[in-house]
């Protein structure tokens, strides 16, 4: 059995792993990345990038409808799912190549295969033992499906990107950002779409008003909302998938997509053999420098289950590389002030504390909110309203949270995030013309 030595061995070629490896290599480390699938991880292959491409495609149907109010006479738009998927696949393939070139240019060795920890400083890949002073686990997460009869007939977001045709009738199960995004995508592309959720609140963990407003807007658009409902069994028959619901009702659809959460992808990594601790959710436990209880093993990204966002994984990977091979000085990101975008229709943008969290921390808070119909929607005939909410701690008048539902919300939040990071007050917001 051959042996090879590195300073830094990264398991997982996604956002966090690639960033950490490139930075470490630039600091003089001998680096290798082990990846069992395509480079780019969830974000590039079955996450942010393809999701946003599909979301853009779905938005064109609304734009075509709005155009009539501005004098455009358009024939009934015709949509072709295979064309969209083929073009999406071509763009993803291009990005896979970009990642490979970036790593090669940085002097990082890319090893195709599945890695298993065999000790605190060793990894087994393709029958070969690789040794490293430091090992980084950046394997990401994977969708979680319930254990119910017939669940093998359902799909997750992973498979949704590779459907051979657009389903005519779709049920999306869940109430988080993946669920509302895909419900908006399927509906916008012309599918008869139902969003089925076991509670009465969308976007749990966000400010409660965001979920309430988004649910109203999606319902107005034509997405059927089924609250406090669950699927107990799925049976495949000639006319489609028969869903037995908790209420006793039965639905017949062509596709069931579960978006009920993701879990850290740690199965088969050999964490037990290396003595790496995980929490009750299976996430790897790390300190402020993203080091596990084993000093030579580190972890970043979705696998530590702190904040499952690509820019967060990039920041975490940078911290690790500088801590191990640089002069340090990089600290973990302030998760509380990371802006988040939900690419539903309409979009959701948020940064800072929810009203509930702000009240718990500061006691007295002031709430400023507004809902209005934008000018473009008045001309275009769309009933969609924008919702804005500002949360201020009363004692020091600092803005603690900014929340929005409406067109462009995701992009707008970037600027507000800078303001909150700088500690802006309500008076400074008011003074800005």
């Amino acid at each position: 059995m051959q042996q090879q030595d590195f300073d830094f061995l990264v398991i997982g070629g996604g956002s966090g792993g690639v960033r950490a490896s490139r930075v470490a290599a630039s600091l003089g480390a001998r680096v290798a990345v082990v990846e069992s699938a395509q480079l780019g991880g969830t974000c590039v292959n079955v996450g942010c990038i393809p999701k946003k491409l599909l979301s853009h495609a779905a938005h064109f149907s609304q734009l075509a409808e709005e155009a009539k109010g501005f004098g455009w006479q358009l024939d009934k738009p015709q949509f072709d799912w295979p064309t969209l998927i083929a073009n999406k696949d071509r763009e993803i393939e291009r990005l896979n190549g970009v990642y490979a070139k970036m790593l090669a240019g940085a002097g990082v060795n890319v090893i195709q295969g599945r890695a298993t920890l065999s000790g605190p400083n060793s990894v087994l890949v393709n029958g070969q033992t690789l040794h490293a002073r430091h090992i980084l686990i950046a394997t990401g997460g994977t969708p979680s499906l319930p254990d119910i009869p017939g669940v093998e007939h359902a799909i997750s977001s992973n498979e949704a990107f590779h459907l051979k045709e657009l389903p005519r009738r779709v049920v999306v199960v869940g109430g988080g950002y993946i669920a509302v995004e895909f419900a908006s995508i399927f509906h916008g592309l012309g599918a008869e779409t139902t969003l089925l959720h076991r509670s009465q609140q969308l976007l749990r963990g966000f400010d409660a008003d965001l979920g309430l407003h988004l649910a109203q807007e999606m319902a107005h658009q034509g997405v059927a909302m089924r609250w406090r409902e669950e699927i107990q069994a799925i049976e495949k028959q000639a006319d489609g998938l028969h869903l037995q619901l908790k209420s006793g009702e039965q639905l017949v659809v062509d596709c069931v997509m579960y978006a009920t959460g993701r879990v850290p992808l740690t199965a088969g990594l050999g964490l037990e053999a290396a003595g790496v601790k995980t929490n009750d959710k299976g996430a790897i436990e790390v300190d402020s420098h993203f080091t596990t209880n084993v000093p030579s093993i580190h972890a970043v990204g979705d696998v530590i289950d702190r904040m499952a966002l690509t820019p967060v994984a990039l920041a975490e990977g940078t911290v690790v590389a500088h801590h191990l091979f640089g002069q340090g000085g990089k600290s973990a990101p302030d998760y509380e002030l990371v802006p988040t975008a939900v690419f539903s229709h309409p979009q959701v943008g948020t940064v800072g504390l929810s009203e509930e969290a702000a009240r718990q921390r500061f006691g007295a808070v002031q709430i400023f909110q507004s809902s209005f119909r934008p000018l473009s929607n008045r001309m275009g005939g769309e009933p969609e309203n924008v919702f804005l909410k500002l949360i201020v701690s009363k004692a020091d008048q600092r803005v603690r949270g900014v929340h929005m539902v409406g067109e462009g919300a995701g992009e707008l939040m970037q600027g507000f995030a800078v303001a909150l990071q700088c500690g802006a007050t309500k008076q400074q917001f008011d003074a800005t013309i």
Side-chain angles (χ1 to χ4, degrees):
M1 186 176 290
Q2 296 179 336
Q3 180 172 310
Q4 195 168 357
D5 293 325
F6 296 97
D7 296 315
F8 193 43
L9 193 147
V10 178
I11 304 175
S15 302
V18 168
R19 173 60 64 84
S21 64
R22 290 176 62 208
V23 174
S26 74
L27 294 170
R30 295 167 299 159
V31 183
V33 171
V34 182
E35 174 55 62
S36 61
Q38 296 296 323
L39 291 172
T42 296
C43 178
V44 168
N45 296 287
V46 288
C48 328
I49 301 300
K51 172 196 71 182
K52 288 179 75 172
L53 293 175
L54 266 61
S55 181
H56 287 317
H59 191 47
F60 277 109
S61 61
Q62 182 178 341
L63 293 176
E65 192 64 30
E66 290 178 3
K68 297 176 184 178
F70 291 89
W72 288 92
Q73 299 300 318
L74 302 174
D75 294 332
K76 183 175 176 57
Q78 298 295 314
F79 171 71
D80 184 65
W81 173 265
T83 298
L84 171 63
I85 298 304
N87 290 341
K88 179 268 296 181
D89 289 344
R90 187 159 47 249
E91 175 61 13
I92 300 309
E93 186 177 354
R94 183 189 72 81
L95 291 173
N96 294 147
V98 169
Y99 271 68
K101 288 180 180 178
M102 285 195 303
L103 290 170
V108 175
N109 293 276
V110 177
I111 301 169
Q112 194 71 28
R114 181 164 179 79
T116 305
L117 293 168
S118 52
N121 296 96
S122 60
V123 173
L124 185 65
V125 185
N126 302 329
Q128 180 182 10
T129 299
L130 309 179
H131 288 260
R133 284 199 296 137
H134 294 280
I135 297 169
L136 176 67
I137 301 171
T139 48
T142 189
S144 174
L145 271 65
D147 183 16
I148 62 169
V151 74
E152 66 273 12
H153 302 304
I155 65 170
S156 70
S157 56
N158 286 0
E159 294 77 37
F161 293 115
H162 302 287
L163 293 172
K164 294 188 181 301
E165 59 184 22
L166 178 67
R168 186 169 60 87
R169 302 163 297 179
V170 182
V171 165
V172 178
V173 184
Y177 71 96
I178 296 176
V180 298
E181 287 172 342
F182 271 93
S184 294
I185 287 169
F186 284 126
H187 172 72
L189 296 178
E192 181 184 308
T193 306
T194 299
L195 183 62
L196 190 150
H197 189 33
R198 63 183 181 183
S199 81
Q200 187 98 26
Q201 176 70 48
L202 294 181
L203 301 179
R204 183 171 59 87
F206 290 67
D207 188 274
D209 285 332
L210 293 178
L212 291 173
H213 189 85
L214 178 62
Q216 292 172 0
E217 295 301 320
M218 291 180 68
H220 288 158
Q221 290 176 6
V223 177
M225 314 296 284
R226 301 293 297 266
W227 305 110
R228 301 190 184 281
E229 189 65 276
E230 294 180 61
I231 299 175
Q232 293 189 321
I234 304 171
E235 183 179 351
K236 188 174 184 178
Q237 297 187 20
D239 60 341
L241 300 177
H242 287 239
L243 314 182
Q244 188 61 49
L245 304 184
K246 181 181 178 181
S247 63
E249 189 179 348
Q250 189 176 83
L251 290 179
V252 181
V253 298
D254 303 301
C255 177
V256 178
M257 189 195 115
Y258 272 94
T260 49
R262 294 173 64 85
V263 295
L265 194 51
T266 56
L269 274 180
L271 297 181
E272 301 83 358
V276 176
K277 290 183 179 179
T278 58
N279 64 19
D280 56 356
K281 295 181 180 179
I284 297 174
E285 296 182 348
V286 294
D287 63 15
S288 60
H289 291 113
F290 304 100
T291 300
T292 71
N293 62 297
V294 180
S296 59
I297 300 178
H298 318 269
V300 298
D302 294 4
V303 80
I304 66 174
D305 195 29
R306 287 191 177 176
M307 200 171 195
L309 295 172
T310 293
V312 170
L314 296 174
E316 293 171 346
T318 303
V319 171
V320 170
H322 278 278
H323 175 64
L324 297 179
F325 305 106
Q327 301 300 315
K330 299 286 184 179
S331 57
D334 185 347
Y335 297 98
E336 194 171 273
L337 292 179
V338 175
T340 302
V342 180
F343 290 93
S344 50
H345 297 167
Q347 281 186 20
V348 175
T350 177
V351 62
L353 298 176
S354 66
E355 180 179 341
E356 180 183 13
R359 290 189 186 281
Q360 288 178 349
R361 182 176 304 181
F362 301 107
V365 299
Q366 292 175 294
I367 307 298
F368 303 89
Q369 64 184 50
S370 176
S371 182
F372 59 91
R373 189 175 178 187
L375 183 62
S376 61
N377 287 355
R378 292 184 181 279
M379 286 281 284
E382 287 294 314
E384 185 177 296
N385 286 322
V386 169
F387 173 76
L388 291 168
K389 184 174 183 178
L390 210 65
I391 298 166
V392 178
S393 50
K394 192 170 183 179
D396 58 9
Q397 286 295 291
R398 283 183 60 179
V399 179
R400 301 294 179 172
V402 181
H403 311 285
M404 177 179 176
V405 180
E407 183 66 26
E411 300 298 334
L412 285 169
M413 279 306 121
Q414 307 246 32
F416 287 115
V418 175
L420 266 64
Q421 189 74 53
C422 294
T425 64
K426 177 62 164 55
Q427 286 80 2
Q428 288 170 322
F429 269 53
D430 292 341
T432 302
I433 298 176

